[in-house]
């Protein structure tokens, strides 16, 4: 048995050693942004290969190709390329690993058919391409961490992703969608990590689309969703480069569309929408507390006003005696029942929020602050609502903004109203009925064929704790089991020793 294992290891080492440049290029060709061509169609002696998302295309068309085409007859051996192309950083190599690394670092490689195992490596790295100038993350802002976001150019977005994941396992598959718009859509994933079923499902759903124009990736998300009749987003749409890269490393699929500054990642579960990249840039205890605050804020935003309606309509007995007096006093002159009072204030908050979002930034901020203060004070003095409810509604609106993903924040806002109506008709029992219906609806949802409530339902022990906390890196070395990735191990955790240990005290 031991000898057999030794033989397998030797065979593995032999296969690794015998990995030729042709195999490297063959794997690179799986990605749609990899280009390999002959500068002159009638002369197949010279071949150029590169990742189009990493190199400076102007340098290629203005310097390299004209020089090659002009003096192609004088090229007899690969060394002649150094004398023909006016670029200093040209290196000759026949090492497959060096060629592979050079490709990922923005080099173009030139090959002669007479010497197929030797390449000229030309540094054409466009390192400034996609750098943060006007592509800040506006809707997913974080204090700590990178702030580079995607823009409405698919080439730039793919460049940013590939610079973040320097590996040949990163595959881009391009699909043209839209009978009139001919929009380029790219499916990105890590080969050897991502479950092929997710890639196949995404490829099939996008390929089967029959639509005239794809205006934005957010519309594409709705077209490929598993369920159309739900307020919950089934995919994460992000403008952050680091979040998209994190999703790819976890084993998810990313969908990039031209003319869109958002990238779709999936399959996603419910708890993914309460995680922020900022959690991983802070100590794990701080990240866990912030994640708990977001989940608590979501629950408070949904149930605060329905409980107010239920308690003041049916369940006065649960109010403490010390609090009953201020509540009665605040509602003494209010002529409306609690449900009308709550709906009036909730709609007022929504009007202010929508008006502030549609107006220019400075005017919108002024309207939100001044309008909220003036209208709130006026409604209390006019006895249209109680001051206690005003505080509850304001806190409920603030807590809905703790959700990092805007689409989930919208879902939380909408869910509040059915619970308010059920609380008005049936009290606490109505809230209980609504909660059961909500859980049942969530249990039916799927994202790219994966259960939306996993790891809560179906229960997965390994991912349950990680869904509610930000685990230390020493316990986060494996990818989530519910993603069913090919490779679960991400890195080898290292236990840091006490700095006092190992010191020579003699």
């Amino acid at each position: 048995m031991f000898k057999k294992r030794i033989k397998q290891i030797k065979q593995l080492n032999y296969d690794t050693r015998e990995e030729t440049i042709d195999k490297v290029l063959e794997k690179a060709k799986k990605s749609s942004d990899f280009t390999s061509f002959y500068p002159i169609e009638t002369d197949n002696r010279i071949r150029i290969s590169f990742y189009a998302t990493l190199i400076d295309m102007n340098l290629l068309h203005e310097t390299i190709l004209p020089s090659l085409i002009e003096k192609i007859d004088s090229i007899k051996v690969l060394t002649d390329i150094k004398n023909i192309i006016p670029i200093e950083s040209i290196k000759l190599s026949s090492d497959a690993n060096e060629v592979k690394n050079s490709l990922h670092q923005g080099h173009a490689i030139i090959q002669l058919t007479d010497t197929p195992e030797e390449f000229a490596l030309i540094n054409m790295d466009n390192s400034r391409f996609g750098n943060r100038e006007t592509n800040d993350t506006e809707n997913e802002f974080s204090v700590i961490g990178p702030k580079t976001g995607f823009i409405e150019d698919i080439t730039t977005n793919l460049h940013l992703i590939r610079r973040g994941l320097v590996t040949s396992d990163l595959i881009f598959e391009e699909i043209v969608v839209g009978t009139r718009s001919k929009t380029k859509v790219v499916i990105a994933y890590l080969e050897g990590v991502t479950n092929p079923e997710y890639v196949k499902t995404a490829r099939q759903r996008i390929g089967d689309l029959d639509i005239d124009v794809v205006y934005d990736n957010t519309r594409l998300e709705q077209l490929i969703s598993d369920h159309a009749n739900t307020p919950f987003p089934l995919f994460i749409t992000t403008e952050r480069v680091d979040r998209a890269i994190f999703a790819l490393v976890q084993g998810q699929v990313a969908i990039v569309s031209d003319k869109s500054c958002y990238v779709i990642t999936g399959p996603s579960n419910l708890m993914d929408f309460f995680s922020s990249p900022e959690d991983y840039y802070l100590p794990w205890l701080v990240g866990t507390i912030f994640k708990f605050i977001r989940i608590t804020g979501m629950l408070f935003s949904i149930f605060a006003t329905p409980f107010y309606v239920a308690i003041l309509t049916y369940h006065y007995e649960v109010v403490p005696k010390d609090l009953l007096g201020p509540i009665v006093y605040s509602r003494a002159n209010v002529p409306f029942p609690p449900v009308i009072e709550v709906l009036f204030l909730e709609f007022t908050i929504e009007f202010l929020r929508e008006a502030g979002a549609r107006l220019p930034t400075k005017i919108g901020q002024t309207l939100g602050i001044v309008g909220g203060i003036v209208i709130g004070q006026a409604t209390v003095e006019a006895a249209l609502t109680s001051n206690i409810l005003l505080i509850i509604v304001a806190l409920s609106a603030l807590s809905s903004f703790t959700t990092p993903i805007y689409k989930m924040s919208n879902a939380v806002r909408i869910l509040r109203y059915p619970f308010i109506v059920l609380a008005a008709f049936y009290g606490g029992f109505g809230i209980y009925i609504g909660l059961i219906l909500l859980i049942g609806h969530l249990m039916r949802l799927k994202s790219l064929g994966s259960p939306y409530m996993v790891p809560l339902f179906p229960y997965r022990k390994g991912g349950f704790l990680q869904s509610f906390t930000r685990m230390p890196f020493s316990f986060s070395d494996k990818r989530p089991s519910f993603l069913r990735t090919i490779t679960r191990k991400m890195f080898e955790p290292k236990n840091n020793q006490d700095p006092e240990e190992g010191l020579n005290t003699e």
Side-chain angles (χ1 to χ4, degrees):
M1 185 71 179
F2 182 74
K3 290 182 178 180
K4 184 179 179 181
R5 180 58 180 163
I6 292 294
K7 185 177 180 181
Q8 291 176 349
I9 294 174
K10 288 182 177 179
Q11 182 64 34
L12 179 62
N13 292 334
Y14 176 79
D15 293 339
T16 304
R17 187 178 68 250
E18 290 298 321
E19 185 184 35
T20 62
I21 296 178
D22 289 336
K23 292 182 179 180
V24 173
L25 296 179
E26 184 179 352
K27 188 171 186 179
K29 287 178 182 177
K30 295 181 180 179
S31 192
S32 61
D33 64 329
F34 181 78
T35 302
S36 183
F37 69 99
Y38 299 99
I40 300 178
E41 295 182 358
T42 57
D43 189 343
N44 294 337
R45 293 186 304 111
I46 300 178
R47 186 179 184 181
I48 302 177
S49 304
F50 53 86
Y51 281 105
T53 54
L54 291 180
I55 71 166
D56 187 349
M57 297 299 291
N58 292 329
L59 182 62
L60 175 69
H61 292 290
E62 296 175 4
T63 304
I64 296 178
L65 289 182
S67 301
L68 285 177
I69 294 173
E70 182 181 355
K71 300 180 180 180
I72 194 168
D73 294 333
S74 62
I75 299 176
K76 304 302 180 183
V77 293
L78 205 58
T79 312
D80 296 335
I81 292 179
K82 285 187 173 183
N83 302 324
I84 291 174
I85 299 178
I87 294 179
E88 294 183 1
S89 54
I90 299 179
K91 183 180 179 181
L92 302 183
S93 176
S94 58
D95 183 11
N97 289 326
E98 185 177 5
V99 172
K100 180 171 66 174
N101 293 334
S102 298
L103 277 173
H104 296 150
Q105 293 170 2
H107 286 63
I109 58 177
I110 299 180
Q111 177 188 26
L112 294 181
T113 54
D114 297 336
T115 56
E117 294 299 322
E118 189 176 11
F119 281 80
L121 310 179
I122 306 175
N123 188 359
M124 301 174 58
D125 181 26
N126 195 1
S127 57
R128 298 185 61 185
F129 182 62
N131 284 352
R132 181 163 58 94
E133 295 176 357
T134 58
N135 56 333
D136 291 343
T137 52
E138 296 181 0
N139 299 324
E140 296 179 73
F141 181 80
S142 65
V143 179
I144 301 175
K147 298 173 178 59
T148 304
F150 295 110
I151 64 173
E152 288 82 359
D153 179 62
I154 191 171
T155 304
T156 304
N157 295 340
L158 296 178
H159 170 82
L160 293 171
I161 293 175
R162 191 168 286 284
R163 286 188 66 87
L165 288 173
V166 186
T167 172
S168 57
D169 293 330
L170 178 60
I171 305 298
F172 292 154
E173 291 188 12
E174 182 178 323
I175 303 175
V176 178
V177 181
T179 56
R180 298 184 185 275
S181 64
K182 305 297 181 183
T183 304
K184 288 194 297 184
V185 178
V186 171
I187 302 173
Y189 61 94
L190 285 179
E191 188 179 46
V193 174
T194 307
N195 191 319
E197 287 297 321
Y198 298 144
V199 180
K200 179 181 177 182
T201 303
R203 186 190 302 122
Q204 180 180 357
R205 291 184 183 180
I206 295 174
D208 291 344
L209 290 178
D210 185 10
I211 186 172
D212 285 352
V213 180
V214 178
Y215 296 102
D216 189 76
N217 229 3
T218 52
R219 187 181 184 188
L220 185 66
E221 173 206 359
Q222 299 177 50
L223 294 173
I224 65 173
S225 292
D226 300 65
H227 302 270
N229 301 320
T230 178
F232 293 95
L234 301 182
F235 295 93
I236 288 182
T237 52
T238 180
E239 63 176 354
R240 294 182 62 107
V241 177
D242 56 343
R243 184 186 277 273
I245 292 175
F246 177 77
L248 288 170
V249 173
Q250 289 285 95
Q252 295 174 304
V253 176
I255 301 173
V256 190
S257 176
D258 199 12
K259 307 295 188 297
S260 176
C261 61
Y262 286 93
V263 170
I264 303 172
T265 62
S268 304
N269 59 45
L270 179 65
M271 303 311 297
D272 285 343
F273 293 88
F274 302 100
S275 296
S276 171
E278 197 172 18
D279 296 343
Y280 294 88
Y281 305 135
L282 297 169
W284 72 272
L285 279 174
V286 179
T288 298
I289 293 173
F290 285 168
K291 193 169 185 177
F292 177 76
I293 290 174
R294 294 188 204 104
I295 297 174
T296 305
M298 180 267 297
L299 295 175
F300 183 86
S301 180
I302 294 176
F303 295 107
T305 47
F307 271 115
Y308 177 88
V309 173
I311 290 173
L312 294 191
T313 306
Y314 297 98
H315 311 294
Y316 266 109
E317 66 277 3
V318 303
V319 181
K321 292 182 180 180
D322 296 337
L323 186 60
L324 189 60
I327 292 177
V328 173
Y329 176 76
S330 66
R331 297 201 72 256
N333 298 320
V334 177
F336 306 115
V339 61
I340 302 298
E341 181 188 10
V342 167
L343 289 176
F344 172 75
L345 265 186
E346 288 285 1
F347 281 123
T348 302
I349 293 291
E350 294 299 328
F351 292 153
L352 287 172
R353 184 171 359 205
E354 284 298 310
R358 301 294 175 265
L359 290 171
T361 305
K362 294 182 179 179
I363 300 176
Q365 291 176 352
T366 304
L367 176 67
I369 297 173
V370 177
I373 295 174
V374 172
I375 294 176
Q377 184 67 25
T379 53
V380 172
E381 290 183 358
L384 296 177
T385 184
S386 65
N387 49 13
I388 293 179
L389 177 61
L390 185 64
I391 296 173
I392 294 176
V393 170
L395 290 176
S396 178
L398 285 175
S399 60
S400 67
F401 288 113
T402 60
T403 308
I405 305 299
Y406 178 72
K407 288 191 174 183
M408 180 56 72
S409 176
N410 290 339
V412 170
R413 289 163 54 189
I414 293 172
L415 284 175
R416 202 179 300 148
Y417 297 99
F419 279 99
I420 291 173
V421 174
L422 287 171
F425 281 101
Y426 304 106
F429 181 67
I431 296 177
Y432 176 76
I433 293 175
L435 185 61
I436 295 299
L437 293 175
L438 176 62
I439 294 175
H441 175 71
L442 289 172
M443 291 170 63
R444 292 180 61 251
L445 296 180
K446 291 184 177 181
S447 173
L448 215 61
S450 176
Y452 193 61
M453 285 288 286
V454 68
L456 308 180
F457 177 83
Y459 176 71
R460 297 291 184 269
K461 181 180 178 181
F464 182 82
L465 187 60
Q466 195 171 3
S467 297
F468 293 94
T469 62
R470 203 286 264 175
M471 299 292 290
F473 288 117
S474 57
F475 294 95
S476 306
D477 58 317
K478 293 182 179 180
R479 296 179 175 87
S481 59
F482 53 83
L483 288 176
R484 299 178 295 166
T485 56
I486 299 175
T487 306
R488 284 206 62 195
K489 199 79 170 177
M490 288 194 295
F491 61 91
E492 192 66 34
K494 183 178 180 181
N495 296 323
N496 295 326
Q497 294 181 348
D498 191 323
E500 295 185 0
E501 293 184 7
L503 293 177
N504 189 2
T505 57
E506 294 182 1

